[in-house]
Amino acid sequence: MRYTSGAVTALPPSLSLTDRVALVTGASRGIGRAIAATLAARGATVGVNYASNEAAAVALCDEIIAAGGKAIAVGFDVADEDAVAAGVKRVTDELGGLHILVNNAGISIDGLLMRAKQEDLRRTLAVNLEGAVYCCKAAARYLLKAKDAGRIINVSSVVGETGNGGQSMYAASKAGLLGLTKSLAQELAGRRVTVNAVSPGFIETDMTDAALQGDAREQLLAKIPLRRIGAATEVAEAVAWLASPAAAYVTGHVLRVNGGLAM
Ligand code: NAP
């Protein structure tokens, strides 16, 4: 089976995202980039959000457009509620509505909690948790119009489920996303909008680059039943499925993409 952005070939209708508009936060790099590219390859028109890396976001849009798809780069800081509202409005105005919101933008400022600076704690919660809340709030009225095509997918983390020493605030923010997912799933179910989370394990990106070197990498691999680090595209596949018509009866779910690290 071959998929190309915008011109979807041989894709079952249950997996097709043709006529859907998606907004992916933090899509200039890593997992978000893979998600945006995969949604586009399934036929979605995509708003590619970034915080500061405009060139990378524009380059992804150019790739999607060159493959026959449609995408725009939309810069905003998810922790800024007014900027989020303006960014979501721009996506809906320029792309014609919104069906799929993927809250992927995230940061990780690691270290022991007793040594953590207040500004780092606040920023972690502001980007990882408040950011998703602001995006859900701003997107909700458009998603309600999308009815059974409406989807929210929050990118949590294995660390939000199991905890991890040295990542207390990050874990708290990611656990918070699971509470948000399940509560909002109940609020929006009456309008057939689904709200789910993916919970990645360790995935090869800029975020994990420093932590996945040398002995630390080997020790981690020993704990992962599938004995390898995941790829961003593997998280993107899970998100694309949750976004698809095939997943219409799945809501409030946490889909683990972690090689068996936590079960
Ligand atoms: P990454 O490579 O560091 O990329 C982070 C992305 O988020 C970038 O596109 C960045 O934009 C964007 N971003 C950061 N702060 C933002 C803000 N305030 N507003 C808007 N966008 C912002 O990270 P990643 O590894 O792909 O992680 C993506 C998500 O998956 C995060 O939520 C992370 O917590 C989660 N996750 C990652 C792993 C893993 O092993 N990598 C595991 C579990 C969960 P700029 O390029 O403009 O800076």
Side-chain angles (χ1 to χ4, degrees):
M1 202 178 290
R2 188 168 159 267
Y3 306 131
T4 51
S5 296
V8 179
T9 54
L11 193 60
S14 61
L15 297 178
S16 171
L17 298 176
T18 303
D19 299 330
R20 305 285 205 269
V21 176
L23 170 61
V24 183
T25 66
S28 47
R29 292 183 281 128
I31 294 171
R33 187 184 200 284
I35 293 170
T38 303
L39 298 184
R42 303 289 150 90
T45 297
V46 186
V48 174
N49 164 253
Y50 62 93
S52 57
N53 206 336
E54 184 179 12
V58 169
L60 174 60
C61 292
D62 288 346
E63 271 180 39
I64 291 171
I65 292 163
K70 193 169 172 198
I72 58 169
V74 194
F76 58 84
D77 176 354
V78 294
D80 177 340
E81 186 169 16
D82 293 340
V84 167
V88 168
K89 184 167 185 316
R90 196 185 141 209
V91 168
T92 60
D93 286 351
E94 292 187 27
L95 301 181
L98 183 63
H99 304 88
I100 300 160
L101 168 67
V102 183
N103 286 310
N104 165 80
I107 57 169
S108 160
I109 307 172
D110 298 341
L112 296 177
L113 186 68
M114 60 190 288
R115 293 201 195 125
K117 293 188 207 132
Q118 189 184 53
E119 69 206 62
D120 291 342
L121 305 180
R122 287 196 168 148
R123 185 66 186 159
T124 301
L125 287 172
V127 174
N128 295 4
L129 184 54
E130 287 174 32
V133 171
Y134 297 147
C135 290
C136 289
K137 259 187 86 181
R141 66 194 175 104
Y142 303 103
L143 298 176
L144 291 178
K145 285 189 201 146
K147 298 209 170 106
D148 33 3
R151 301 278 188 275
I152 295 175
I153 298 142
N154 294 319
V155 180
S156 180
S157 166
V158 63
V159 163
E161 297 185 89
T162 64
N164 192 25
Q167 288 197 301
S168 293
M169 277 332 300
Y170 179 76
S173 69
K174 292 297 178 178
L177 278 179
L178 300 182
L180 172 68
T181 299
K182 293 174 189 183
S183 304
L184 200 53
Q186 293 177 34
E187 287 185 25
L188 300 182
R191 301 288 286 272
R192 304 198 298 278
V193 174
T194 69
V195 186
N196 291 289
V198 290
S199 178
F202 287 84
I203 308 295
E204 209 97 51
T205 68
D206 293 348
M207 184 181 276
T208 48
D209 193 39
L212 296 180
Q213 302 295 332
D215 287 351
R217 187 185 186 93
E218 292 311 313
Q219 284 163 17
L220 181 61
L221 286 174
K223 291 186 198 153
I224 301 173
L226 286 178
R227 294 284 182 270
R228 65 176 177 84
I229 306 299
T233 48
E234 293 175 304
V235 180
E237 289 292 337
V239 171
W241 182 75
L242 288 169
S244 75
Y249 201 54
V250 178
T251 197
H253 185 68
V254 182
L255 181 49
R256 293 178 176 143
V257 186
N258 66 19
L261 180 59
M263 297 186 182

